[in-house]
């Protein structure tokens, strides 16, 4: 009755960060930045099978890049242009979750979504089945463009800025995709 699990977390990031600054002529500066990252994140399973009640491992990806150019038109006039893009995504670990397996159907339950083990809340015992939100996945992309002009007049500095951005989010967030069944001491 005193079963517990104390397992290590999975955290395997893998990526790179790079930056390049380049001055050409005496009035131009170019800057390039980039970042790539992929990895696996999540708690170790309580049970090493599809009925694991713990949080699932997740594949995490992110990408970003930016470019900027600074042009010193004169000692009192500076123009800076920049462009950036970023992307991030989260999905269940595909090596563990097979979206075509009908676990509920194998247990004799019909009308439920395949891909996740049904959740069985067993009161004071260890629950079995996919935790709520185990099939959550999302992708986020964002883009930005800006241009700024800085003018110095005697002791004053005036800045004019233009900024435009665009973003996109795709998400899938089922709470209990293959059903949730609760049992307690009042049910036999």
């Amino acid at each position: 009755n005193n079963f517990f699990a104390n397992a290590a977390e999975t955290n395997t990031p893998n990526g790179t960060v790079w930056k390049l600054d380049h001055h050409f002529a005496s009035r131009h500066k170019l800057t390039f930045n980039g970042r790539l990252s992929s990895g696996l994140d999540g708690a170790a399973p309580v049970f090493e099978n599809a009925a694991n009640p713990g949080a699932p491992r997740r594949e995490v990806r992110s990408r970003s890049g930016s470019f900027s150019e600074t042009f010193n038109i004169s000692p009192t006039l500076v123009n800076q242009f920049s462009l950036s893009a970023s992307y991030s995504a989260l999905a269940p670990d595909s090596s563990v979750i097979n979206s075509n397996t009908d676990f509920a159907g194998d247990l004799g339950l019909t009308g439920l979504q395949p891909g996740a083990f049904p959740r069985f809340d067993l009161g004071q015992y260890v629950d079995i089945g996919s935790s709520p939100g185990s099939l959550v996945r999302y992708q986020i992309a964002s883009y930005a463009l800006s241009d700024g002009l800085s003018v110095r007049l005697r002791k004053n500095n005036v800045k004019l800025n233009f900024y435009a951005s665009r973003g996109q989010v795709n998400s899938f967030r089922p709470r209990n995709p293959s059903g949730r069944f609760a049992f307690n001491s009042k049910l036999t």
Side-chain angles (χ1 to χ4, degrees), residues 115-128:
F117 199 92
R119 177 75 173 186
F120 292 93
D121 294 335
L122 302 174
Q124 55 189 312
Y125 299 103
V126 175
D127 299 334
I128 60 172

Side-chain angles (χ1 to χ4, degrees), residues 6-176:
N6 186 10
E9 291 185 14
T10 302
N11 187 4
T12 58
N14 187 11
T16 183
V17 176
W18 51 270
K19 181 175 184 173
L20 174 66
D21 286 331
H22 179 67
H23 294 271
F24 64 95
S26 62
R27 302 183 327 175
H28 290 276
K29 177 184 177 184
L30 294 176
T31 303
F32 297 93
N33 292 303
R35 187 176 3 166
L36 303 171
S37 178
S38 297
L40 197 58
D41 188 19
V46 177
F47 304 126
E48 195 67 60
N49 58 34
N52 175 35
R57 294 188 313 188
R58 302 193 186 278
E59 294 175 358
V60 181
R61 292 184 318 274
S62 67
R63 314 279 186 260
S64 67
S66 66
F67 162 78
S68 68
E69 190 238 353
T70 304
F71 177 35
N72 295 318
I73 300 167
S74 72
T76 60
L77 191 59
V78 177
N79 184 56
Q80 184 171 19
F81 171 80
S82 65
L83 178 67
S84 65
S86 67
Y87 168 82
S88 62
L90 175 101
D93 181 12
S94 58
S95 67
V96 176
I97 294 179
N98 181 354
S99 61
N100 297 326
T101 305
D102 186 9
F103 297 109
D106 293 345
L107 295 172
L109 303 170
T110 59
L112 300 171
Q113 177 180 340
F117 199 92
R119 177 75 173 186
F120 292 93
D121 294 335
L122 302 174
Q124 55 189 312
Y125 299 103
V126 175
D127 299 334
I128 60 172
S130 301
S131 64
S134 61
L135 294 183
V136 166
R137 66 184 65 222
Y138 68 80
Q139 295 180 356
I140 300 172
S142 61
Y143 310 94
L145 171 72
S146 68
D147 193 16
L149 185 65
S150 178
V151 181
R152 188 174 43 202
L153 301 168
R154 296 183 189 97
K155 293 183 180 182
N156 299 315
N157 195 12
V158 177
K159 293 184 179 182
L160 302 170
N161 288 311
F162 167 78
Y163 179 81
S165 65
R166 171 93 170 131
Q168 179 180 4
V169 176
N170 294 323
S171 63
F172 177 66
R173 299 181 179 267
R175 176 99 177 123
N176 292 297

